[in-house]
Amino acid sequence: MGIAIALVVGWIVWRALANAARRRQLTARFGPEIAELIMPRRIWQGATEEMIIESIGRPIDIDERVMKTKRKHVFKYHQVGKGKFGLRRTFEDGLLIGWDDKR
């Protein structure tokens, strides 16, 4: 019983230290306001592609369209079938403009 409690306490301390280190790293890169949005895995309009990758991870697939005046990327997450994804994040010129969640 004592070993189990020690393991749980050790894991909790380790997670707290890891979260603090991640928050410091994100704050150094993006500033404190953005770090506070990324830590709970939030998404928001106007976020950069890099911020969304830090928040929810790398996409499974990316569609890219390059037009005369702009560049669009669609990040796809949570594949549910061939060519079907539960989450899509749409970027225009590197900034998040919309998303679709069909989970």
Side-chain angles (χ1 to χ4, degrees), residues 39-84:
M39 287 298 294
R41 301 175 52 88
R42 289 197 181 127
I43 61 162
W44 65 98
Q45 196 161 1
T48 66
E49 293 174 357
E50 183 182 12
M51 291 171 185
I52 295 301
I53 289 171
E54 285 293 339
S55 181
I56 61 174
R58 294 205 173 277
I60 294 170
D61 193 22
I62 300 174
D63 283 345
E64 180 179 30
R65 271 189 254 150
V66 179
M67 295 162 257
K68 270 186 176 179
T69 59
K70 58 187 162 192
R71 177 180 56 94
K72 279 194 173 185
H73 283 142
V74 177
F75 283 16
K76 299 174 182 180
Y77 298 87
H78 303 289
Q79 191 163 8
V80 293
K82 184 173 172 129
K84 295 183 181 186

Side-chain angles (χ1 to χ4, degrees), residues 49 83 88 94 96:
E49 293 174 357
R88 294 174 185 263
L96 185 66

